[in-house]
Amino acid sequence: MTLAAEKTFTIEGIRVPDSSLARAITQLVRDTESALLFHHSSRVYYWGALAGKRRALKFDRELLYAGAMFHDMGLTPAHRSADERFEVDGANVARDFLRAHHIAASDIDLVWTAIALHTTPGIPKHMHPVIALLTAGVEMDVLGLAYLEYSDAEREAVVRAFPRTPHFKEDIIQAFYEGIKHKPETTFGNVKADVLEHFVPGFERRDFVETIENSPWPE
């Protein structure tokens, strides 16, 4: 599918927002991320928007698009920090971009929170639809959660427009590893510790109970 076709791909009335902001987001993310992450992020938007339509939720599709497209920017060499969670790195990139485009502060906070929480299970689903749907889109594309809630036609159309690589499961795990391997301490208490355990022989994740017991408090 050509770039022009990607921009106009529509399913169940859902497409990439036709706005200067969305076009700028698309161009920046396409220029910054690998094809793997760009297509993954695009699918996340469609899965999230489809879920929102199915649940009859009211949400700003432009803000959901911003969250979906920026959610993995913290994995890229251009935006990896030395000591922040990659989710926060991506959220900060989105925040700076949206500020430069004079988006309302409340909307920026919403997108920032959606990205920052997208790997924190159990919480986003109780929050604003943009936050809930970004996580729902990520969970569908990476974990296959709610897979059967999407029709065969929906899944096939979205993947045809934004293809999964032949070995997407291992490719996305590798991308996660490359983005966080230099800062293992940022995986404490979140799902990305599993990625390091998968790749690094002898990796020992921090233990919450031991952290409490070894704190400087006497009792």
Side-chain angles (χ1 to χ4, degrees):
M1 181 173 284
T2 66
L3 177 57
E6 286 179 0
K7 289 180 178 178
T8 58
F9 169 68
T10 304
I11 182 168
E12 301 292 334
I14 295 165
R15 56 176 289 180
V16 173
D18 185 17
S19 67
S20 58
L21 179 68
R23 288 190 290 273
I25 291 171
T26 301
Q27 192 62 58
L28 175 62
V29 177
R30 180 179 284 278
D31 289 346
T32 306
E33 291 188 345
S34 64
L36 170 80
L37 290 179
F38 177 82
H39 285 150
H40 160 60
S41 297
S42 299
R43 292 192 305 272
V44 164
Y45 166 72
Y46 280 93
W47 303 138
L50 285 167
K53 181 177 182 180
R54 187 170 60 247
R55 301 174 192 176
L57 297 177
K58 294 183 178 180
F59 60 96
D60 186 318
R61 291 185 183 179
E62 196 171 52
L63 296 182
L64 179 61
Y65 187 68
M69 297 310 289
F70 280 108
H71 86 276
D72 273 345
M73 286 288 267
L75 296 174
T76 66
H79 297 294
R80 295 172 189 161
S81 71
D83 55 8
E84 293 281 8
R85 285 178 55 160
F86 90 93
E87 303 94 321
V88 171
D89 289 336
N92 287 345
V93 176
R95 178 196 60 201
D96 294 345
F97 176 90
L98 294 174
R99 279 180 178 169
H101 285 76
H102 309 292
I103 303 304
S106 59
D107 289 341
I108 294 173
D109 288 345
L110 185 60
V111 173
W112 193 97
T113 303
I115 296 171
L117 289 179
H118 82 266
T119 62
T120 306
I123 295 175
K125 66 181 181 180
H126 299 290
M127 301 181 72
H128 187 283
V130 168
I131 300 171
L133 294 175
L134 174 56
T135 293
V138 171
E139 291 177 340
M140 166 58 177
D141 205 59
V142 178
L143 304 173
L145 300 188
Y147 182 88
L148 296 179
E149 294 180 13
Y150 298 83
S151 69
D152 291 344
E154 288 172 337
R155 293 194 302 267
E156 291 167 4
V158 172
V159 172
R160 184 164 55 248
F162 303 98
R164 291 169 69 95
T165 60
H167 304 286
F168 176 76
K169 293 178 180 180
E170 285 304 316
D171 291 342
I172 196 66
I173 293 170
Q174 183 71 44
F176 292 151
Y177 175 63
E178 294 299 328
I180 64 174
K181 64 182 180 181
H182 63 293
K183 47 183 179 181
E185 69 284 353
T186 66
T187 67
F188 176 53
N190 70 71
V191 296
K192 289 302 184 284
D194 297 338
V195 175
L196 293 181
E197 196 167 61
H198 177 79
F199 282 102
V200 181
F203 173 72
E204 293 186 10
R205 65 180 70 210
R206 283 179 58 191
D207 182 276
F208 179 64
V209 173
E210 288 182 359
T211 300
I212 295 172
E213 291 178 339
N214 294 329
S215 82
W217 287 102
E219 296 296 340

